[in-house]
């Protein structure tokens, strides 16, 4: 039985970016595992960290990350995730990034989280020995995504096993965004047909209710945005239907080895 490990910077990135491929592999009998890196609750958040939740209509008394972890549980249940893990590290607003603009700048010199990300991911890799590892491209340049992809590059995963997903909805809003320079120099685009799993992907994305207003303009915007985007992705790679596109060395198969 083959195992696919999906690495998510935040509690929603895999769902939004490559939930269709996760559903497709699960339907074909793969074991699917999901680990999210930045998931820690921080008591009494202040400043920009507090603003990140109050702007979503959540008061300061709410444990924002606990709420998001419950959303992640709901997603895992809906899509049949076999292994769900949280690395329990702090998001960027709790590590000194004090504005929305700062989130999309190069990592701070005093932000040593990359080594800790690698340390948290290593035992998961050792335990699961995945045939496929899905990692973000860091499109859009969010510092947490950048730190994850750079940490993953240093783990020694055989390059043919790693597929870099297009961070969504950054890929929708910034169609010209480039992957982080940490990616291999000559990966090729790999279009995975998710036509039969697009509805499941949308249903999974709807589990992350705290994020839908900010990312999609509300729950009603999720389906139309993702359906249009994934049909464009398929068309751009000479396919019909809907596709999720990765960078890697070979096309991930939809059946176990």
């Amino acid at each position: 039985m083959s195992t696919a490990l999906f690495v998510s910077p935040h509690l929603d990135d895999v769902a939004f970016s490559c939930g269709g491929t996760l559903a497709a592999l699960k339907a074909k009998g793969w074991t699917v595992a999901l680990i999210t890196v930045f998931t820690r609750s921080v008591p009494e958040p202040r400043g920009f960290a507090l603003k990140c939740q109050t702007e979503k209509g959540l008061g300061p008394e709410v444990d924002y990350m606990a709420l998001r972890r419950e959303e992640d549980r709901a997603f895992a249940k809906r899509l049949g995730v076999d292994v769900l893990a949280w690395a329990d590290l702090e998001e960027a607003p709790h590590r000194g990034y004090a504005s929305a603009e700062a989130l999309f700048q190069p990592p701070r010199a005093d932000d040593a989280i990359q080594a800790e990300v690698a340390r948290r991911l290593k035992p998961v890799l050792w335990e699961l020995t995945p045939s496929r590892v899905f990692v973000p491209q860091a499109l859009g340049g969010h510092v947490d995504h950048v730190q994850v992809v750079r940490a993953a590059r240093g783990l020694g995963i055989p390059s043919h096993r790693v597929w870099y997903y297009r961070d969504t909805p950054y890929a929708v809003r910034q169609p010209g965004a480039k992957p982080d320079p940490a990616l291999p120099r000559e990966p090729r685009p790999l279009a995975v047909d998710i036509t039969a799993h697009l509805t499941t992907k949308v249903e999974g994305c709807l589990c992350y209710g705290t994020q839908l207003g900010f990312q999609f303009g509300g729950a009603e915007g999720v389906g139309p945005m993702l359906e249009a985007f994934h049909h464009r992705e398929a068309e751009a790679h000479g396919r019909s239907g809907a596709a999720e596109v990765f960078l890697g060395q070979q096309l991930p198969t939809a059946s176990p080895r």
Side-chain angles (χ1 to χ4, degrees), residues 111-127:
D111 184 8
I113 201 69
Q114 184 182 137
E116 188 60 24
V117 173
R119 193 180 75 82
R120 303 289 174 104
L121 292 178
K122 281 181 181 178
V124 178
L125 290 165
W126 292 339
E127 180 178 352

Side-chain angles (χ1 to χ4, degrees), residues 56-132:
K56 297 180 176 68
L58 302 171
E61 74 284 356
V62 175
D63 186 333
Y64 178 47
M65 297 306 294
L67 182 57
R68 296 192 66 187
R69 291 192 299 270
E70 287 306 307
E71 294 174 340
D72 205 42
R73 287 187 196 275
F75 169 80
K77 182 177 181 180
R78 176 67 188 84
L79 269 74
V81 171
D82 298 288
V83 179
L84 179 66
W86 301 316
D88 193 37
L89 296 178
E90 297 177 346
E91 289 188 315
H94 300 291
R95 303 198 313 272
Y97 296 86
S99 68
E101 293 76 18
L103 294 178
F104 299 94
Q105 298 298 318
R108 292 163 50 115
D110 61 351
D111 184 8
I113 201 69
Q114 184 182 137
E116 188 60 24
V117 173
R119 193 180 75 82
R120 303 289 174 104
L121 292 178
K122 281 181 181 178
V124 178
L125 290 165
W126 292 339
E127 180 178 352
L128 296 177
T129 59
S131 303
R132 304 286 184 262

Side-chain angles (χ1 to χ4, degrees), residues 6-10 13 35-38 87 89 95 107 113-115 117-118 121 134-138 142-155 157 164-165 167 180 182-183:
F6 292 81
V7 180
S8 189
H10 303 115
D13 288 315
I35 181 169
T36 305
V37 175
F38 299 105
L89 296 178
R95 303 198 313 272
I113 201 69
Q114 184 182 137
V117 173
L121 292 178
F134 295 88
V135 178
Q137 295 179 25
H142 191 294
V143 67
D144 284 344
H145 292 229
V146 169
Q147 295 285 39
V148 167
V149 70
R150 294 182 182 180
R153 283 286 289 162
L155 289 174
I157 308 169
Y164 297 90
Y165 59 79
D167 313 62
D180 189 75
L183 266 69

